[in-house]
Amino acid sequence: MSLAFPAAEPVLLPIEGTVEKFPVRRVYCVGRNYADHVVEMGGDPDREAPFFFQKNPDNLVSAGDGFPYPPQSDDVHHEVELVIFLKSGGSAIPASEAFDCVFGYGVGIDFTRRDLQAAAKKAGKPWTAAKAFEHSAPVSAVTLASRTGHPAAGRIWLSVNDTVRQDGDLGQMSWKVPEIIAELSQLFTLAPGDVIFTGTPAGVGPVRRGDRIACGVDGVATLSLSVI
């Protein structure tokens, strides 16, 4: 078989403590998974069924790279999240078996063009342009689950120019890691290389060119970058 033009390079993420790389297949994101963030976005804090959206694999930005401020927006917000990396998958995965699919964890930022998202919500249109733009998902190196365990609690935080903006705990997630995997697998066939952003705590806010951002999940990973 011959190709009409060269295939795109695969998206490969570093794995902490090894020279191996994690090959990315798909990127899923969970919306409104912390009650305090639901409230700050004007929603009902009662637990609701999880909903999902996607970013593109090449939206991922490796640790150490800058975040280019995107066009068509004057209101880009940060959202720090625990990230799950899968080594296996399937459909209709029971929550009791979900941890068997996990390769590792990391921390990432779901950058959002909030003005475009607000306009899309008002018009009842998809959020794709607000969420899945270039460089919109900076992510740390993958930390093996054998090193971190499966974190159910622990601080998750983000600072801008050394001022803490988001400061929550994984225990505040409405839907926990095994539940997220189980629910997602009801809608999609999961597979090795899938990446899942698990939602953000309260404190999301705007970033500006020149800002220095640092974030982390205690015991899992940290990430730092500049808005360029």
Side-chain angles (χ1 to χ4, degrees), residues 47-87:
R47 192 182 199 228
E48 60 179 344
F51 75 93
F52 303 95
F53 58 92
Q54 288 182 273
K55 289 179 180 275
N56 301 306
D58 61 0
N59 294 160
L60 297 175
V61 179
S62 293
D65 292 340
F67 168 65
Y69 199 95
Q72 306 300 320
S73 179
D74 295 313
D75 192 23
V76 177
H77 283 206
H78 57 75
E79 300 185 11
V80 63
E81 311 200 8
L82 173 73
V83 182
I84 308 167
F85 301 91
L86 299 186
K87 64 182 178 181

Side-chain angles (χ1 to χ4, degrees), residues 113-178:
R113 293 196 274 208
R114 193 70 76 201
D115 43 2
L116 300 191
Q117 184 188 43
K121 285 181 177 180
K122 185 176 181 180
K125 294 180 178 179
W127 299 358
T128 306
K131 289 288 191 178
F133 57 93
E134 278 65 33
H135 314 290
S136 62
V139 67
S140 70
V142 183
T143 303
L144 297 174
S146 58
R147 297 184 181 182
T148 63
H150 298 288
R155 186 183 182 220
I156 178 171
W157 58 274
L158 180 143
S159 67
V160 178
N161 301 325
D162 299 320
T163 298
V164 175
R165 291 214 186 148
Q166 293 186 261
D167 199 349
D169 192 281
L170 299 181
Q172 298 167 335
M173 287 197 296
S174 298
W175 294 86
K176 313 304 183 186
V177 169

